[in-house]
Amino acid sequence: MLRNRSVEQYLKEHMSFYIFVGVIFVTGVVFGAVMVNALSVEQKEEIMRYLSNFFSTVQSGGLEGDIPGSFKDAFGMHMKWLLIIWILGMSVIGLPLILILDFLKGVLVGFTVGYMVGSLSWKGLLFALVSVVPQNLIVIPTLMVCSVTALAFSVHLVKNRFMSRKGAIYEPFMRFCGVTLGSAVLLAGVAIFQAYMSPMMMKWVTPMLVSLAAS
């Protein structure tokens, strides 16, 4: 009962942050999808050549041969996002930059899925469902939780340092660090999934895309 009450209190205090961050992210997704239509013919051809080479690599099992390297790249990328959010959360000036990061994450997802669907139709959607969606079902909520915690901690710093509202900073700081560490562990699991499972899932749908991307 006490735990449920604490969770309820947490959601009550931070719901406005979650809504705001969610809107920023969705706006980024829409913006990324719209960006696909702004690409020139030459840019689309260059991306398609890259995709054709990537599909060929996946089909030949090239990604499966370097699982440690794939894990290192995926884990390193996730940790960079977390580290940047943590550093920005420790400073007042990081407030708008955290929101920019959430917007950019949305742009990346929206552009990737939008281009795949726009260029390869339902086959592109199928590839996006096995290559982009699974890990982002965990990555995006995790980064949103970290962003909200960082925003809340920054606001707490503002209230204590600049508005003369004295309050304990130890508990919010430890909560912020705890959420960041927990997120790192969770994203390590996502990186393992990306290294081991994603190549097999992509290899399953790639044969139908190789000839389409090359044409």
Side-chain angles (χ1 to χ4, degrees):
M1 180 68 67
L2 182 60
R3 185 175 181 179
N4 292 336
R5 188 176 302 171
S6 62
V7 172
E8 183 178 341
Q9 181 67 23
Y10 170 82
L11 291 176
K12 182 179 178 180
E13 294 176 354
H14 298 84
M15 184 57 65
S16 58
F17 285 123
Y18 278 107
I19 293 175
F20 191 50
V21 170
V23 170
I24 292 294
F25 174 78
V26 171
T27 303
V29 171
V30 174
F31 185 79
V34 172
M35 281 179 59
V36 176
N37 297 325
L39 293 175
S40 65
V41 176
E42 292 77 12
Q43 289 173 323
K44 290 182 179 180
E45 290 178 349
E46 182 64 28
I47 296 176
M48 189 56 70
R49 281 193 294 269
Y50 169 80
L51 285 177
S52 180
N53 293 332
F54 178 74
F55 293 151
S56 299
T57 301
V58 172
Q59 189 177 28
S60 64
L63 296 182
E64 298 176 2
D66 187 22
I67 291 178
S70 297
F71 170 79
K72 182 179 179 181
D73 291 341
F75 183 68
M77 179 184 65
H78 297 323
M79 290 306 102
K80 287 177 182 177
W81 281 91
L82 276 185
L83 182 60
I84 293 173
I85 291 175
W86 186 81
I87 291 174
L88 293 177
M90 299 293 291
S91 62
V92 177
I93 60 173
L95 277 168
L97 298 180
I98 293 172
L99 298 176
I100 291 175
L101 280 179
D102 294 324
F103 177 79
L104 291 177
K105 186 64 176 179
V107 171
L108 290 174
V109 174
F111 181 83
T112 303
V113 176
Y115 182 83
M116 295 296 297
V117 175
S119 300
L120 303 174
S121 187
W122 68 269
K123 295 180 180 179
L125 176 61
L126 179 61
F127 188 80
L129 287 175
V130 301
S131 63
V132 179
V133 174
Q135 60 265 26
N136 278 300
L137 289 176
I138 297 178
V139 171
I140 291 172
T142 301
L143 292 180
M144 288 183 66
V145 170
C146 288
S147 297
V148 168
T149 308
L151 290 172
F153 183 71
S154 293
V155 171
H156 187 81
L157 286 179
V158 172
K159 290 180 179 179
N160 279 270
R161 298 291 179 83
F162 299 101
M163 296 183 180
S164 300
R165 296 183 182 179
K166 301 300 181 180
I169 199 173
Y170 176 77
E171 183 177 347
F173 175 74
M174 294 305 296
R175 184 188 303 119
F176 182 27
C177 292
V179 168
T180 303
L181 289 176
S183 299
V185 174
L186 186 60
L187 293 180
V190 174
I192 293 174
F193 173 84
Q194 289 180 258
Y196 284 88
M197 298 300 298
S198 290
M200 291 188 290
M201 296 171 63
M202 288 189 286
K203 191 175 181 179
W204 175 59
V205 300
T206 296
M208 67 180 68
L209 295 169
V210 174
S211 59
L212 185 60
S215 59

